[in-house]
């Protein structure tokens, strides 16, 4: 059996806020080794353990250096579980002691039985640990700890990002399965929408920012989500608005591709959805689901077994979205296709209109490169009135015009803008007429249309 130097003999100063935790665990492991060998525990170690218990209680308190990270209302037993789990990853002497005390274990993570021994809990007190480690307990629901299996001998590991968070380091977040990171910096001032729609988006953010007040201090009904539905034509700013909300929260935005999650094989869709939400559970992130109409569309008559199973998949997805304790944003270009029965279950439904003349002028002003030279004849009011484009189309046309001007070593003028708009309209897989450019058609080069 591994013989450890007792902490009482080291005399090392407690510098880091967690140092007392590690020294306490090391001493508890040493005492457990002695108890298993029927050895008497030295009074010196008992005195040292009592001192460390007081030190730990101080550090875990509201004013403690690392207790400030744990404003979760956890019990002492729950905190002990978290400390044991993270110690196995970052404190070698504790990890080695855990492995030595769990004969035959291939890993250093503690089990419920080991923690019960370390804390000297009596058999009738073991329910404290069982309750704290139940599948839907706060520790596991918010992924402070994870267990790949159930039972008293299952390894207890720290949840994703917990170690980095408690040590004050940077959390390297891995995209949940089936999602990709949306790398877009956006702020409220960049969002061009009618004032009432901005207000709705801000109210949606209130559900996240003030949850602790409503559910905690005011004892409001605990709920999942929040969930919002963004509807509107392509290019009207739905993803941009989601990025604004994520930026305000200082959380990453992940776009979920339902096509990568839905499977033709029975049970695979639910399995993929569970993997997505299990990975996102308790993590600071915003999930965006595109083309929600493909899943939450109006339900038709069930004619065959596949129709019934498809409804089960939708119900499973909706249940996971509603129970997920984090913001989910569903987007669609076809809001009228969303079943009204689903809409009633969202906290917010925001319609994104096509920009009016004033909004289009502002979009042209912002989306043309700020340092690019502009021709004196470039009248933004004229552009806004000439062609009705969405924000996404204006962005593409403005950039296309900028590249043309750079290639021609000239200023951005109406000719370059006209070509950019023409190219954008031509993406719709139809024959575009010059008259669709309105008064801007007069500035379109003759060789563009063949």
């Amino acid at each position: 059996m591994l013989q450890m130097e007792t902490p009482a003999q080291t005399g090392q100063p407690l510098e880091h806020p967690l140092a007392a935790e590690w020294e306490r665990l090391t001493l508890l492991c040493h005492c457990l080794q002695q108890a298993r060998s029927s050895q008497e525990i030295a009074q010196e170690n008992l005195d040292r353990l009592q001192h460390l218990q007081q030190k730990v209680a101080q550090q875990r308190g509201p004013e403690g250096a690392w207790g400030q990270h744990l404003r979760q209302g956890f019990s002492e037993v729950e905190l002990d579980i978290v400390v044991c789990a993270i110690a196995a990853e970052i404190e070698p002497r504790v990890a080695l002691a855990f492995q030595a005390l769990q004969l035959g274990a291939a890993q250093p993570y503690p089990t419920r039985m080991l923690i019960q021994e370390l804390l000297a809990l009596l058999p009738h007190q073991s329910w404290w640990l069982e309750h704290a480690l139940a599948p839907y307990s706060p520790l596991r629901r918010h992924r402070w700890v994870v267990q790949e299996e159930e039972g008293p001998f299952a390894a207890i590991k720290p949840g994703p990002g917990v170690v980095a968070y408690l040590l004050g380091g940077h959390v390297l977040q891995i995209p949940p399965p089936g999602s990709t990171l949306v790398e877009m910096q956006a702020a409220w001032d960049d969002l061009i929408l009618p004032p009432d729609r901005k207000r709705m988006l801000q109210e949606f953010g209130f559900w996240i920012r003030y949850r602790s007040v409503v559910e905690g201090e005011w004892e409001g009904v605990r709920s999942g989500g929040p969930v919002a539905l963004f509807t509107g034509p392509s290019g009207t700013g739905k993803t941009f608005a989601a990025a604004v909300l994520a930026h305000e929260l200082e959380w990453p935005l992940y776009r979920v591709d339902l096509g990568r999650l839905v499977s033709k094989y029975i049970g695979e869709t639910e399995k993929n959805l569970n993997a997505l939400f299990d990975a996102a559970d308790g993590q600071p992130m915003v999930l965006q689901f595109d083309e929600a109409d493909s899943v939450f569309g109006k339900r038709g008559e069930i004619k065959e077994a596949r129709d019934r199973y498809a409804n089960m998949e939708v119900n499973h997805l909706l249940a996971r979205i509603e129970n997920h304790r984090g913001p989910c944003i569903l987007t669609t270009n076809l809001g009228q296709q969303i079943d009204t029965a689903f809409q009633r279950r969202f906290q917010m439904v925001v319609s994104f209109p096509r920009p009016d003349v004033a909004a289009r002028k502002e979009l042209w002003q912002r989306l043309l490169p700020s340092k690019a030279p502009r021709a004196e004849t470039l009248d933004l009011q004229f552009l806004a009135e000439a062609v009705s484009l969405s924000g996404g189309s204006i962005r593409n046309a403005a950039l296309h015009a900028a590249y043309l001007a750079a290639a021609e070593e000239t200023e951005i003028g109406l000719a370059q803008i006209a070509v950019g708009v023409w190219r954008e309209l031509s993406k719709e897989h139809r024959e575009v007429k010059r008259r669709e450019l309105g008064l801007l058609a007069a500035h379109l080069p003759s060789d563009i249309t063949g």
Side-chain angles (χ1 to χ4, degrees):
M1 183 175 291
L2 177 67
Q3 294 298 317
M4 298 171 291
E5 181 182 27
T6 66
Q9 298 169 339
T10 64
Q12 296 180 353
L14 302 179
E15 298 177 352
H16 192 278
L18 288 176
E21 298 280 3
W22 308 149
E23 189 168 354
R24 170 179 175 253
L25 281 180
T26 304
L27 183 52
L28 285 173
C29 289
H30 177 77
C31 292
L32 180 56
Q33 282 186 340
Q34 291 185 314
R36 285 183 176 181
S37 302
S38 301
Q39 300 179 34
E40 185 177 353
I41 300 175
Q43 186 62 43
E44 179 185 16
N45 285 336
L46 293 176
D47 293 341
R48 181 62 179 165
L49 184 59
Q50 184 177 9
H51 170 75
L52 289 171
Q53 297 277 31
Q54 296 173 349
K55 187 76 174 180
V56 165
Q58 180 183 0
Q59 294 288 0
R60 291 181 181 182
E63 305 302 324
W66 91 280
Q68 296 175 9
H69 293 284
L70 294 171
R71 301 186 187 280
Q72 306 288 330
F74 289 149
S75 66
E76 286 300 310
V77 168
E78 289 171 321
L79 292 177
D80 281 329
I81 293 172
V82 173
V83 170
C84 288
I86 65 176
E89 287 197 358
I90 63 178
E91 183 51 48
R93 54 182 174 158
V94 177
L96 290 172
F98 283 173
Q99 197 157 12
L101 289 167
Q102 300 178 114
L103 298 179
Q107 43 73 30
Y109 295 101
T111 64
R112 173 155 53 91
M113 291 300 292
L114 175 59
I115 295 177
Q116 181 175 338
E117 275 195 286
L118 288 174
L119 301 182
L121 297 179
L122 298 174
H124 70 277
Q125 296 172 324
S126 64
W127 73 271
W128 293 348
L129 291 175
E130 291 184 39
H131 179 73
L133 290 169
Y136 294 99
S137 66
L139 283 184
R140 292 183 63 182
R141 189 171 63 247
H142 299 303
R143 297 186 58 88
W144 281 86
V145 298
V146 295
Q147 288 183 249
E148 297 175 357
E149 300 176 352
E150 300 298 329
F153 296 100
I156 302 169
K157 302 179 182 181
V162 168
V163 172
Y165 169 71
L166 293 179
L167 295 183
H170 175 69
V171 180
L172 180 61
Q173 210 163 45
I174 300 175
S179 71
T180 54
L181 177 66
V182 177
E183 299 187 65
M184 182 185 297
Q185 295 297 320
W188 287 111
D189 290 342
D190 301 321
L191 190 60
I192 301 175
L193 280 176
D196 64 319
R197 309 308 159 83
K198 275 193 175 184
R199 173 61 191 252
M200 294 178 72
L201 293 173
Q202 291 167 344
E203 290 177 5
F204 179 70
F206 295 164
W207 282 74
I208 307 163
R209 298 181 70 87
Y210 300 104
R211 167 170 275 162
S212 61
V213 175
V214 175
E215 294 186 357
E217 298 177 22
W218 296 353
E219 298 184 354
V221 175
R222 179 184 172 90
S223 63
V227 185
L229 176 67
F230 291 177
T231 71
S234 178
T236 50
K238 298 185 292 294
T239 296
F240 195 82
V244 169
L245 288 166
H247 177 74
E248 183 186 34
L249 293 168
E250 297 183 345
W251 290 356
L253 171 65
Y254 290 103
R255 179 185 284 119
V256 178
D257 183 358
L258 288 172
R260 293 168 57 185
L261 301 178
V262 176
S263 173
K264 64 180 180 179
Y265 298 105
I266 301 295
E268 282 298 307
T269 298
E270 288 87 344
K271 179 180 177 181
N272 294 337
L273 291 172
N274 288 340
L276 165 73
F277 284 103
D278 287 347
D281 186 32
Q283 301 301 307
M285 62 177 63
V286 179
L287 298 179
Q288 176 183 329
F289 298 79
D290 287 336
E291 299 182 6
D293 53 281
S294 65
V295 177
F296 296 106
K298 296 178 180 178
R299 291 167 288 186
E301 181 183 355
I302 297 177
K303 297 181 179 179
E304 55 185 50
R306 177 60 199 172
D307 296 333
R308 187 182 305 277
Y309 181 66
N311 284 344
M312 291 173 59
E313 290 178 341
V314 172
N315 291 335
H316 184 81
L317 171 59
L318 187 59
R320 288 307 307 250
I321 287 178
E322 288 185 312
N323 293 328
H324 175 61
R325 294 279 290 180
C328 292
I329 296 173
L330 286 66
T331 70
T332 177
N333 300 340
L334 304 170
Q336 69 277 8
Q337 296 297 322
I338 300 294
D339 195 315
T340 55
F342 294 132
Q343 292 194 32
R344 288 192 292 268
R345 300 167 77 171
F346 303 143
Q347 276 71 44
M348 192 71 67
V349 177
V350 184
S351 174
F352 287 70
R354 292 183 67 88
D356 58 16
V357 173
R360 292 198 295 272
K361 180 181 178 181
E362 183 67 21
L363 285 166
W364 279 112
Q365 174 62 39
R366 294 192 184 191
L367 295 175
L368 284 167
S370 59
K371 294 185 178 181
R374 300 183 186 181
E376 294 182 1
T377 56
L378 186 58
D379 185 345
L380 299 184
Q381 181 68 30
F382 169 76
L383 289 180
E385 295 175 352
V387 188
S388 176
L389 296 176
S390 68
S393 293
I394 291 175
R395 178 194 60 223
N396 294 339
L399 283 176
H400 195 90
Y403 280 105
L404 288 176
E408 298 165 4
E409 298 182 353
T410 187
E411 301 169 324
I412 299 178
L414 291 175
Q416 290 78 23
I417 294 289
V419 174
V421 171
W422 181 267
R423 298 303 184 204
E424 190 62 23
L425 294 176
S426 299
K427 294 178 181 178
E428 299 176 6
H429 304 291
R430 61 182 178 82
E431 185 178 352
V432 182
K433 305 295 183 181
R434 291 177 68 95
R435 62 175 179 271
E436 294 182 51
L437 271 65
L439 296 177
L440 187 60
H443 302 274
L444 187 67
S446 59
D447 61 336
I448 290 296
T449 59

